[in-house]
Structure formats: structure tokens, C-alpha cells
Amino acid sequence: MPTFTATDGTELAYHVRGDGDPLVVLPGGPMQASSYLGDLGGLAAHRRLVLLDLRGTGDSAVPEDPATYRCDRLVDDVEALRAHLGLEQMDLLAHSAGGSLAMLYAARHPVRVARLVLVTCIPWALGRQPSAEDRLAAARLRSGEPWFEDVFPAFEDWLAGKADFDPAFAPFFYGRWDDAAAEHDAGAEFNDDAFDVYGSDGAYDPPATSAALAQVAAPVLVLAGELDGGPSPELARTVADVFPNAEFTVQPGAGHYPWVDGPEWFARRVAGFLDRDGAVLPSAK
């Protein structure tokens, strides 16, 4: 397991899967160990995945200062990883909450990003988040499934602030609830203390971030899941609109973890984007 040292002395770990040109991958959660990403639906057959365990998660050390779990402060860890890998520029993929970290990184270090892939990205860094209505609308798309009636009322209560999150809600985050999805969900590892700090006060400056991302020249792919409520495809599209050189795609039948729901579709779409020759893409606007 390779490691490197962050600027504050914290030892951070990353995991390498596959061969080929490197693709640095930032996990979501927030603050979830990178193991849940697996080989991203077979994407490791096309790229050498460099899966970062953010500080305090997975095999990375717990920092002395818990305030360094804040999203904007994690940007320095991503930059330290790039320097450790010896890359002048890097292709970067981020999932879910990791998308906000990737956007803050691109805003601060635009010349270091060769290509950027944002997968079911929750755009907290842009001052936007999924609404309860978005999540309920997506959940209702699953009404024909046998588990729906037992779970949906509690899901409504959670979104209304009347109840705590329940692990029984997991089926709403996948395009289909089967053995593969259940196994994937069971393997999740979070740092709950870091979760609370990630988006705490001061983490985001949406106007400044939006203005900076409007100047990012790198090609960007924003990928949404058709059945995802957080973000919905409509919310995900607004992320693409921020970048001058972005494209937007919706994976059919996918939820929040599209490489689990449709691995071949996901790997083919992302690899196709990454393997282009760098020509300017059509704007998402």
C-alpha cells in the first residue's frame, strides 16, 4: 500500500488498481474509505486508478487537527498527491461529495487538471444541494419494487426532519436492489466525526468557486444517474453549466452508484471521455 506525507505531516494512503495512464479518484461519503469504489465497474482495465483514502479514512492516518477534515483544507492533500505522483497535470474523477473537493481543487489549481469527471456529484461547493422533493420524486420511481411500501414512509419522515437516517433506505440509492447492491452497501466505511467537519462553516465560497470554474479550460464530464435523487439529473446538469468546456450525460437505470448499477455502460462512457485527444468539447450550456 503506497503512502505519502501531507503538508502537515499526516501520512496518507492510496490504492492502485489497473494499468495505463493514471486517473486520480476522490471518494465521496463525505469521508468514506475509498474501498467502496472497487475498480469502478471495470474502468481499471482502461486506466491505472489511484484511489485516495482521505485523511482519517481507510488506511490513511488520523490527523492531529480535526479541523483539517474540512473540504477546502483537503485540497492541499490532493495537491500533495499530485506532486508525489510526479504529474504535471492529472486526470481526476470524483464521486458524490468528493465532487465538491474536486471542484475546489480545480478552482485553486486549474492548470493541474487535464480532464475532470464528476460522478453523481452533490454540488455543495456551488451552494446547491438536493431538495427533499428531488429525493422523494426519485424514490417514487421505485414504487413497483417489493421493498418500497415498507421503507418509503420512514424515508419521507427522514427528509421531513422527523426521523434519523436508517440503513434500510439503501435501496433508494441504487438503480436496482439486488445481491450486488446489498454487498456494496454493506462494505461502506465512514469516519463519522470527519463527516460532520467536511462541510462545516467556511468550507465553501460558492460565488468565488463558480467564478473560478468558469475559467477552467479542462474538458469536464458530469455524469448523473437516471434514478438518483441526490443529485437529480436536473441538479447535476447545473454543475455542467458552470464549466466552459463540459458535457453532461445521464446513465440509464442508474442510481447514486452507477458503476454498480451498470458497470459496462459506466466504464465505456468514462473511458471514452478520458481517451479523447483533448479536443474542445461542446459546452453544456
Side-chain angles (χ1 to χ4, degrees):
M1 178 193 62
T3 63
F4 65 102
T5 303
T7 55
D8 67 348
T10 304
E11 186 176 46
L12 303 180
Y14 60 95
H15 303 268
V16 179
R17 295 188 175 93
D19 297 304
D21 293 334
L23 173 64
V24 174
V25 182
L26 305 180
M31 305 307 290
Q32 185 171 358
S34 68
S35 56
Y36 82 100
L37 296 161
D39 68 353
L40 286 174
L43 190 59
H46 305 272
R47 285 299 184 102
R48 176 162 54 95
L49 305 183
V50 179
L51 306 161
L52 176 62
D53 277 338
L54 298 174
R55 54 181 52 218
T57 72
D59 292 310
S60 287
V62 173
E64 291 187 7
D65 182 3
T68 60
Y69 289 136
R70 207 174 71 179
C71 186
D72 59 319
R73 300 186 66 174
L74 294 173
V75 170
D76 289 339
D77 292 349
V78 180
E79 175 62 2
L81 175 58
R82 180 203 62 78
H84 168 77
L85 295 172
L87 301 172
E88 286 297 314
Q89 288 188 310
M90 62 181 173
D91 290 337
L92 187 62
L93 181 149
H95 173 243
S96 190
S100 284
L101 175 56
M103 285 189 279
L104 293 186
Y105 180 84
R108 196 181 304 177
H109 301 284
V111 300
R112 299 302 189 185
V113 179
R115 290 176 179 82
L116 175 61
V117 181
L118 299 172
V119 178
T120 59
C121 164
I122 301 175
W124 293 325
L126 302 176
R128 306 166 194 167
Q129 60 183 341
S131 67
E133 292 76 15
D134 286 345
R135 291 191 182 275
L136 288 172
R140 290 188 182 101
L141 297 174
R142 318 296 298 283
S143 62
E145 302 193 38
W147 47 265
F148 179 86
E149 294 296 336
D150 291 335
V151 179
F152 185 73
F155 191 67
E156 284 187 298
D157 287 344
W158 170 61
L159 291 171
K162 299 177 182 178
D164 293 333
F165 183 87
D166 190 322
F169 302 156
F172 289 121
F173 294 85
Y174 293 85
R176 62 180 184 279
W177 187 243
D178 56 13
D179 290 345
E183 182 179 0
H184 181 263
D185 178 66
E189 299 177 25
F190 290 88
N191 180 331
D192 292 333
D193 293 334
F195 180 104
D196 294 332
V197 178
Y198 188 85
S200 57
D201 288 348
Y204 307 124
D205 183 347
T209 300
S210 296
L213 295 180
Q215 306 303 314
V216 171
V220 178
L221 172 65
V222 177
L223 189 150
E226 179 186 20
L227 304 179
D228 194 9
S232 66
E234 292 77 16
L235 179 58
R237 182 180 287 277
T238 69
V239 177
D241 290 341
V242 171
F243 294 91
N245 189 17
E247 61 180 276
F248 174 71
T249 192
V250 178
Q251 181 167 330
H256 197 59
Y257 304 96
W259 66 92
V260 177
D261 296 320
E264 292 183 3
W265 196 102
F266 177 85
R268 183 173 61 251
R269 182 67 178 89
V270 175
F273 168 77
L274 292 171
D275 291 343
R276 290 178 187 165
D277 61 5
V280 174
L281 302 170
S283 171
K285 296 181 179 179

